[in-house]
Amino acid sequence: MPTEIRQVAVIGSGVMGSQIAAQVANAGVPVLLLDIVPKDATDRNVLAKKAIERLMKEPSPFMHPDAAKLVTPGNIDDDLAKIKDCDWVLEAVLENPQIKSDIYKKVDSVRKPGTIVSSNTSTIPLANLIGDQSPEFAKDFMITHFFNPVRYMALLELITGPKTDHASIELMRSFCDRALGKGVVPCNDTPGFIANRLGMFWLQSAINAAMDLGLTVEEADEVCGRPMGIPRTGVFALIDLIGLDLMPLIGKSLLSTLPSTDTYCRIYQEPELFQRMIADGYTGRKGKGGYYRFSKTDTGAKLKESINLETGEYAASVSPKIPTLETAGKDLRILCEATDKIGQFAWRVLSETLTYAFELVPATVPDVTLVDAGMKMGYNWKFGPFELLDKLGADWMIARLKAEARPIPAFLQKASGKSFYRVDSGRVEILQLDGSYTPIKRAEGVMMLSDIKLSSQPVEKNGSAALWDIGDGVLCLEFLTKANILNNDIFAMIHRAIALIGDGSGAWKGLVIYNEAGSFSAGANLGVFRDSIKSGDFGAIETFIKQGQTAYHALRFAGFPSVAAPAGTALGGGAEITLHCSAVQAYCECGIGLVELGVGLIPGWGGCTQMLGRAFADADQSVPPVSRVFSLITSARVSKSAADAKALGFFRKTDGISMNRDRLLFDAKARVLELAKAGYKAPQPWSINLPGPSGKAALELIIESGKLSPHDITIAKLLAEVLCGGEGGLTGPVTEQQLMDTECQVFVKLCKMPESLARIEHMLEKGKPLKN
């Protein structure tokens, strides 16, 4: 059997197969993408080729266009023998057991011994898939169920059988976790596994309840959305996204494999309206629309409409105002105790779904954390079902079910007087089936700051930042502000970290900059600029810029290694702090950019300076360094991934990328220790020869030829001034400090312009740049 996954084959180039191939390529692993040969096709690889073309369209499943070069198109008839070079063959064809069986026999005839074979089936039990296959095939076979869209959905359900080779299971678990970035949840071989079993039940329960109680689709989506920690799509908008025509296919597959006594079989139904919509082509977003659709008014404007669940007629969609939700706020219990149709709907859907969740433990998975993980990673729920039960309270739930003469799951009875999760002695513990608690165990190489915060006190803390001891002499700087915006308290904590660590030869070896929020940092606190501009205190702005420059400059030249570990967005000042660290270990989904132009400004905390230094040091000079940086900053471009950030120059070629978000802190800490062990030395300040007035004139020609607003032209010309050596054109080698001084001067000059204030106020009010 293989000891590592070096090459992969994917059979089936449809939506899921092609996306899985893209994610494997994102991990840097070559992929062979195969499909059938269409009748009368002149190009026998046409299906796979067209799939790759679709993958290139935005939003692309590829993290960078170069990843597409790792995907080789082919067809089953001509190229199946090539899988002999593959370590893993994944099947993603139609959910038809016979078609799958035929493919498996062909694969078994040409694969090398030990090659792992898996299916992406969403509902068919493993035992049914290997029923007529060879014993050798059964030993190497498993189900690897990905979720759509593959790049962004973290869940991977891994289903194995009693015959599956244990070494192969561990290899796949490790590869899908570390290389593909998935949260791997091992499941027993039961119908629908976790997420689709419970997710389909939840959707069916909500459809039934909405139609029985007379809710509009907007009301149902509103109640089943944010109040329950579920994405804004709620129920009906989610079905539109999935596809109405796919729902009965998954439902019938579950019905065919679940025992007739299962609760899902009892509540399953296909309303007449549902069937009529599919017949008329209203299959969701991929069709003419679904429960929601878009039409055009007489003036040509786009109009969002929704269907009336009673009459089947469409009308303009209206966002509902629901007093019951306003009264309940975030208290689910108050919502479920409301006696109107909204409260009845919430209670019916939650009580049915949460009690059904008990049927998965231990039949499908051994504990509640895996059920919760499945729904959070597979359906993007903020809280898993057992976390929702803790919000309601086990005793309250038991009493309500008992009052309605409904059966009470045995495990729920065990939770009486308890919670499913608790914190004890600084550790999160979960309730087991016998009523006792056990600590949650993290996988090797997984480190969560949230765990460290439960079991320890910060080394230092102020109102905006904290320093944490993450072990082995490494400190972690965490931002604590809203959207992790940067302020003087954070700058003070940077200086404090530098003072504590010193030259890295004492108790502390280095620093990681990391947090577990959705955004690494939204940049500077724009409110500081707005208030200072309005009061005419431009000296305060200059001081604030210089304070940020001083903190970042001190970090860059500190005598110890610092590693930024961004995930999500790192914008403006958030991007600039990464540019001043010794190295970056980024989560693969990292959007980084110098976006100051959108608020009428330029980077002021050394962003222009550091990007210029990197551009001049880059061996690839096919684009002049000043032009490259000018284009990047004036476009306010944000990277689409960490791989894209490398290509744009925000990250170095030597910087690391973690595919799994849960491994980011561990990987960043390991990078600090690696640099420290290698005898880290602070970098030497550089100086570069800038093009001066001639370079500025060349950039101004580009500016004048573009379609920019008057204020954008002003900003671009001032940026050109910075990048080319200042107003008078600095002669000779220009130092980092000289460039930063020029950044500061131009930044303050822009703040004095009314157009910049207007952009800043619009961003603070609307949360997005002002359009020209």
Side-chain angles (χ1 to χ4, degrees):
M1 62 154 285
T3 56
E4 60 180 315
I5 305 297
R6 293 161 298 188
Q7 188 164 334
V8 175
V10 175
I11 301 177
S13 64
V15 172
M16 290 304 294
S18 60
Q19 288 189 57
I20 293 168
Q23 187 67 4
V24 173
N26 288 335
V29 177
V31 194
L32 178 64
L33 182 61
L34 305 179
D35 212 315
I36 60 172
V37 179
K39 185 179 180 182
D40 300 325
T42 54
D43 183 346
R44 295 173 64 80
N45 298 337
V46 63
L47 292 182
K49 285 182 178 178
K50 285 189 175 295
I52 296 171
E53 289 176 10
R54 289 194 302 271
L55 292 173
M56 298 299 291
K57 295 179 181 178
E58 296 296 340
S60 175
F62 289 120
M63 293 179 182
H64 190 271
D66 285 351
K69 299 173 184 176
L70 291 172
V71 184
T72 302
N75 68 80
I76 297 172
D77 291 349
D78 303 330
D79 302 306
L80 195 65
K82 293 179 181 178
I83 69 170
K84 70 179 185 302
D85 298 321
C86 297
D87 304 299
W88 173 26
V89 178
L90 180 137
E91 165 271 307
V93 302
L94 296 173
E95 289 286 82
N96 182 311
Q98 187 57 54
I99 293 175
K100 292 178 185 290
S101 177
D102 293 343
I103 287 175
Y104 297 158
K105 288 176 180 176
K106 292 178 181 178
V107 168
D108 200 20
S109 69
V110 295
R111 71 186 180 108
K112 64 185 176 186
T115 295
I116 296 168
V117 183
S118 73
S119 174
N120 186 55
T121 182
S122 59
T123 55
I124 304 173
L126 182 145
N128 294 13
L129 295 175
I130 62 171
D132 60 349
Q133 304 300 322
S134 70
E136 292 77 15
F137 184 90
K139 179 175 69 71
D140 298 326
F141 185 81
M142 59 191 76
I143 292 171
T144 48
H145 181 218
F146 292 81
F147 282 72
N148 185 23
V150 174
R151 174 177 167 181
Y152 300 106
M153 299 303 288
L155 180 61
L156 183 133
E157 294 172 322
L158 180 63
I159 297 89
T160 58
K163 300 177 182 178
T164 314
D165 179 74
H166 290 290
S168 296
I169 295 172
E170 288 309 308
L171 176 60
M172 284 304 299
R173 189 203 301 262
S174 176
F175 180 77
C176 292
D177 170 350
R178 297 170 187 270
L180 302 187
K182 299 304 171 189
V184 180
V185 177
C187 304
N188 295 330
D189 188 20
T190 58
F193 321 128
I194 299 173
N196 276 347
R197 172 90 172 272
L198 190 57
M200 288 295 293
F201 183 95
W202 163 66
L203 290 172
Q204 187 69 62
S205 172
I207 293 169
N208 296 351
M211 299 189 80
D212 291 346
L213 294 167
L215 272 72
T216 66
V217 293
E218 291 91 348
E219 288 173 332
D221 284 349
E222 190 72 20
V223 177
C224 276
R226 289 182 177 178
M228 298 181 186
I230 290 169
R232 293 180 62 182
T233 49
V235 173
F236 291 102
L238 176 60
I239 294 172
D240 281 353
L241 181 62
I242 294 171
L244 276 73
D245 54 334
L246 187 59
M247 295 290 291
L249 296 177
I250 300 174
K252 288 172 182 175
S253 179
L254 286 171
L255 292 175
S256 69
T257 50
L258 286 168
S260 59
T261 54
D262 189 271
T263 311
Y264 178 78
C265 300
R266 178 177 59 79
I267 72 165
Y268 182 81
Q269 55 182 288
E270 291 181 33
E272 187 273 333
L273 171 63
F274 189 83
Q275 298 177 35
R276 188 168 74 246
M277 289 171 69
I278 295 174
D280 291 344
Y282 287 96
T283 55
R285 293 189 188 182
K286 63 185 178 183
K288 293 160 38 177
Y291 289 104
Y292 296 93
R293 75 176 186 185
F294 286 95
S295 63
K296 287 189 177 181
T297 64
D298 294 339
T299 61
K302 186 182 288 188
L303 175 67
K304 184 179 181 181
E305 298 180 320
S306 61
I307 200 166
N308 185 304
L309 295 176
E310 292 183 5
T311 66
E313 300 295 323
Y314 283 95
S317 178
V318 179
S319 297
K321 291 186 177 180
I322 306 176
T324 302
L325 290 182
E326 295 176 4
T327 301
K330 295 182 179 181
D331 194 320
L332 275 182
R333 191 184 294 185
I334 292 176
L335 175 60
C336 290
E337 287 175 342
T339 56
D340 62 353
K341 68 176 184 179
I342 299 299
Q344 293 177 54
F345 174 77
W347 166 244
R348 178 168 160 184
V349 174
L350 273 177
S351 62
E352 289 183 351
T353 303
L354 299 185
T355 53
Y356 191 68
F358 286 96
E359 299 192 24
L360 302 181
V361 183
T364 301
V365 289
D367 64 63
V368 301
T369 63
L370 298 177
V371 178
D372 284 348
M375 294 311 294
K376 289 194 289 187
M377 293 190 293
Y379 275 70
N380 268 343
W381 287 16
K382 185 175 181 181
F383 310 105
F386 292 95
E387 291 171 324
L388 288 171
L389 279 163
D390 276 350
K391 288 181 174 295
L392 291 169
D395 289 341
W396 179 88
M397 186 79 172
I398 291 169
R400 183 80 184 262
L401 292 173
K402 188 177 293 184
E404 296 177 4
R406 292 167 62 182
I408 301 169
F411 189 18
L412 179 56
Q413 289 277 25
K414 288 276 189 183
S416 179
K418 302 175 181 177
S419 58
F420 290 97
Y421 293 86
R422 74 176 188 184
V423 177
D424 185 62
S425 301
R427 297 185 303 179
V428 180
E429 297 183 334
I430 56 167
L431 186 67
Q432 299 185 101
L433 290 169
D434 63 2
S436 65
Y437 285 92
T438 188
I440 291 179
K441 296 178 181 177
R442 303 290 186 193
E444 182 183 354
V446 170
M447 176 183 287
M448 305 301 293
L449 187 58
S450 56
D451 291 344
I452 293 168
K453 292 165 69 173
L454 284 175
S455 59
S456 63
Q457 295 296 315
V459 176
E460 296 275 348
K461 185 177 181 181
N462 61 29
S464 301
L467 291 173
W468 297 93
D469 179 357
I470 58 174
D472 299 311
V474 179
L475 285 175
C476 176
L477 171 60
E478 179 193 25
F479 307 146
L480 302 174
T481 53
K482 182 179 180 181
N484 291 321
I485 56 174
L486 302 160
N487 58 27
N488 281 326
D489 278 350
I490 290 177
F491 301 152
M493 194 59 72
I494 292 172
H495 286 298
R496 184 62 185 140
I498 293 169
L500 283 170
I501 302 171
D503 63 1
S505 62
W508 305 109
K509 296 182 177 67
L511 178 71
V512 170
I513 303 176
Y514 166 91
N515 60 73
E516 288 171 357
S519 168
F520 177 74
S521 174
N525 184 348
L526 292 178
V528 171
F529 300 130
R530 176 198 59 198
D531 296 344
S532 296
I533 292 170
K534 284 191 165 185
S535 66
D537 191 354
F538 297 102
I541 293 176
E542 182 176 357
T543 298
F544 186 46
I545 292 300
K546 286 189 176 295
Q547 286 170 333
Q549 287 186 351
T550 301
Y552 286 9
H553 192 69
L555 180 65
R556 171 165 156 74
F557 294 107
F560 59 83
S562 59
V563 174
T569 52
L571 305 177
E576 287 172 299
I577 197 170
T578 70
L579 294 172
H580 288 80
C581 287
S582 313
V584 171
Q585 182 70 37
Y587 176 47
C588 61
E589 300 297 349
C590 180
I592 184 170
L594 296 170
V595 296
E596 287 83 354
L597 185 129
V599 290
L601 303 170
I602 66 165
W605 284 333
C608 301
T609 302
Q610 293 307 315
M611 290 303 291
L612 266 181
R614 293 186 182 198
F616 272 93
D618 193 343
D620 180 8
Q621 298 290 311
S622 56
V623 177
V626 171
S627 297
R628 187 191 314 176
V629 176
F630 178 79
S631 175
L632 190 62
I633 295 176
T634 53
S635 68
R637 181 170 173 179
V638 177
S639 69
K640 297 172 182 176
S641 66
D644 190 34
K646 277 194 174 188
L648 293 172
F650 287 118
F651 299 156
R652 306 171 186 84
K653 291 181 173 61
T654 55
D655 285 334
I657 296 176
S658 297
M659 295 293 284
N660 192 313
R661 178 70 172 81
D662 291 345
R663 295 185 176 276
L664 180 58
L665 180 57
F666 182 92
D667 293 345
K669 174 186 168 182
R671 182 72 173 130
V672 167
L673 294 173
E674 177 188 350
L675 290 169
K677 186 177 180 181
Y680 178 80
K681 300 293 182 184
Q684 292 298 310
W686 48 253
S687 60
I688 51 180
N689 291 306
L690 296 178
S694 62
K696 182 183 175 185
L699 291 180
E700 288 182 346
L701 285 175
I702 297 173
I703 295 167
E704 297 295 346
S705 65
K707 296 180 180 179
L708 297 174
S709 71
H711 191 49
D712 282 339
I713 290 173
T714 299
I715 300 168
K717 287 184 176 180
L718 287 171
L719 175 63
E721 183 178 299
V722 172
L723 299 180
C724 294
E727 188 172 1
L730 294 170
T731 57
V734 179
T735 67
E736 293 187 45
Q737 188 59 59
Q738 287 175 310
L739 269 171
M740 287 196 295
D741 289 343
T742 306
E743 276 187 44
C744 182
Q745 293 165 13
V746 169
F747 192 98
V748 175
K749 183 184 292 187
L750 284 165
C751 285
K752 294 178 180 179
M753 299 179 184
E755 297 90 344
S756 292
L757 175 59
R759 292 192 183 190
I760 291 170
E761 288 186 317
H762 186 275
M763 176 63 81
L764 288 169
E765 182 183 348
K766 303 293 186 181
K768 57 185 178 182
L770 180 65
K771 290 185 178 180
N772 296 325

